Amino acid sequence: MAEETTIDGSGAAAEEGAEARSKRERLRRTRRLLTEARGHLTHRALRLIGFAAFVYLVLKLIPGFEKALTNLQNVKFQWVIGAMAVETLSEIGYVVSWRGILDPDNLLRQGARGKHLGARVAWAQLGGGMIVPGGTLGSIGVGAWMLHRLGMPMDRVGERQFTLMFLNSAVDGLAIVFFGLGLAIGVFNGQDDLALTLLPAAVVAIGIALALFVVARAERLAARFEAKRPRIAKGITTLAAAVDSTKRMLRHRGSTKIVLGAVAYLGFDMAVLQGAFVAIHAHPVPTFAVVSMCYLIGGLAGSIPLPANLGAVGGMAGMLVVFGVNHNDAVAAVVLYQAIGFLVPLIGGGIAYLFLRREFGSMDGDEPDDEAPGDTPAGAATPAN
């Protein structure tokens, strides 16, 4: 009996020791994450400064943009505060969707990480990435890295991040169909050129229908392309997995909140661009439908790897000019919108970092960490090939 008691006591002590070590490891990873997240936020701040300097020089030195610079200089501080509040609502929508899709089981609340860690990681992702049309892929890398460093298996991170991107892309696509068709048939005021309204809406609608057609036959099509076109087969299976994951998410109890978050993320962001025309005293101010089409189509240029997301800036401004907006007004409004889009995530990510730093402390006094920044942390799954 004494021997059994000794064995039971030893087993309990071993379990407590293992749990304590696991807790220390999770805390150590979180603290290491804070140290590296600070570097991402610093880099984002430098990009904001570089963007402002570059835009000033371009508008100052290139003939024909003097009025755009004057318009920006006359923007009232009260408008900037209001625009930052609206942009914050947009980012909160993203955070809601992010938490609902990336961590539906509240795994990030476990241990000593705190119940708000998920929201703070989402804000840090916003602060470290480029959250504008076309720039979302860069932020996915930041978010995946952060979640993986916190111990979530990379295959799960990748699947959920892709589902989030797929949901946001679907909302964007449906918005193009909605505003493009509305402009084409005269429901919304603004441009009625069918090449600028109905054509993009039709292309997107056909693309959505084609994607659904492929997904319905994904297994058979993937098997057909596997031998000669393995990349196409991989793309088909990835698309099918994203659609299936989105369907499962929509059946989840909190799906309404997730979808509303994605809609708010897009809608409030477009509202900031619309408001920028009011701030620079543009005349006439383009309608919200026109601004939305230019935002969604022009933002696709954000996939061009240019610093400070200048591809999206040029794409949006170019589309606005094509839709008949004065070129000085278009450039000034897009630059102002982009500056707000830089500033709000940077501030939000910085505040999230400060909260996390206060909660978890720094790495000072911790055990030396032999893991390189790109290595896989202990206990986490190796990224799938």
Side-chain angles (χ1 to χ4, degrees):
M1 180 67 68
E3 183 177 352
E4 291 180 359
T5 303
T6 303
I7 293 175
D8 292 342
S10 299
E15 290 179 1
E16 291 177 0
E19 183 178 352
R21 287 192 298 271
S22 176
K23 184 177 180 179
R24 285 197 301 270
E25 175 62 19
R26 289 196 299 267
L27 184 59
R28 186 171 67 90
R29 288 181 192 168
T30 306
R31 288 177 173 175
R32 183 171 60 244
L33 176 66
L34 288 175
T35 301
E36 296 175 349
R38 181 176 57 192
H40 282 272
L41 291 170
T42 301
H43 180 64
R44 180 64 180 266
L46 293 175
R47 288 164 72 178
L48 173 59
I49 295 172
F51 172 77
F54 177 81
V55 167
Y56 177 80
L57 291 175
V58 168
L59 298 183
K60 187 74 174 177
L61 299 178
I62 297 182
F65 288 107
E66 297 85 356
K67 186 175 183 297
L69 183 59
T70 302
N71 289 340
L72 289 172
Q73 292 172 340
N74 292 332
V75 173
K76 294 182 178 180
F77 181 73
Q78 296 91 326
W79 182 90
V80 174
I81 298 300
M84 290 178 64
V86 175
E87 184 65 24
T88 300
L89 294 176
S90 170
E91 310 295 4
I92 289 175
Y94 177 86
V95 170
V96 170
S97 296
W98 190 97
R99 293 188 66 182
I101 293 176
L102 269 296
D103 191 27
D105 304 318
N106 294 320
L107 295 177
L108 294 180
R109 295 187 180 187
Q110 295 180 1
R113 291 172 178 170
K115 63 180 181 179
H116 299 298
L117 181 62
R120 289 165 184 168
V121 170
W123 271 105
Q125 172 164 326
L126 285 165
M130 290 294 298
I131 308 297
V132 293
T136 310
L137 291 175
S139 68
I140 282 180
V142 174
W145 167 78
M146 296 180 76
L147 287 170
H148 185 46
R149 294 302 298 265
L150 288 171
M152 186 176 288
M154 183 56 78
D155 55 349
R156 187 185 306 168
V157 172
E159 177 186 349
R160 292 178 177 179
Q161 287 275 24
F162 192 79
T163 300
L164 177 62
M165 185 188 73
F166 184 82
L167 174 63
N168 287 329
S169 299
V171 171
D172 291 351
L174 292 174
I176 291 177
V177 174
F178 176 73
F179 288 111
L181 185 60
L183 285 168
I185 64 178
V187 174
F188 302 125
N189 294 326
Q191 181 64 255
D192 57 359
D193 187 340
L194 297 183
L196 298 176
T197 57
L198 185 60
L199 180 60
V203 169
V204 172
I206 292 172
I208 293 174
L210 181 61
L212 295 177
F213 175 83
V214 170
V215 167
R217 297 157 179 79
E219 187 174 347
R220 184 167 65 252
L221 291 174
R224 180 183 302 177
F225 285 107
E226 182 64 35
K228 296 183 178 180
R229 298 288 188 272
R231 291 186 178 180
I232 295 179
K234 179 65 175 178
I236 292 173
T237 55
T238 301
L239 176 62
V243 173
D244 289 341
S245 179
T246 303
K247 288 180 179 177
R248 291 196 302 270
M249 180 271 296
L250 292 175
R251 289 194 294 264
H252 192 268
R253 185 176 58 184
S255 62
T256 302
K257 183 169 64 174
I258 294 172
V259 173
L260 289 177
V263 172
Y265 172 49
L266 174 65
F268 285 118
D269 201 41
M270 293 192 300
V272 173
L273 179 56
Q274 166 78 10
F277 286 97
V278 178
I280 63 172
H281 306 289
H283 184 76
V285 175
T287 65
F288 185 74
V290 168
V291 170
S292 299
M293 288 295 287
C294 296
Y295 171 102
L296 292 163
I297 299 174
L300 296 175
S303 58
I304 300 174
L306 295 177
N309 209 46
L310 292 176
V313 174
M316 290 182 195
M319 284 302 303
L320 285 163
V321 172
V322 170
F323 269 76
V325 178
N326 177 273
H327 72 280
N328 278 290
D329 292 342
V331 170
V334 173
V335 166
L336 183 57
Y337 153 78
Q338 183 68 29
I340 298 296
F342 263 115
L343 191 60
V344 171
L346 178 62
I347 294 175
I351 293 173
Y353 169 80
L354 293 176
F355 272 108
L356 290 168
R357 184 68 180 266
R358 185 181 67 178
E359 185 172 353
F360 294 105
S362 66
M363 288 290 292
D364 298 337
D366 283 356
E367 296 177 3
D369 184 15
D370 295 331
E371 181 187 317
D375 292 346
T376 302
T382 303
N385 294 324

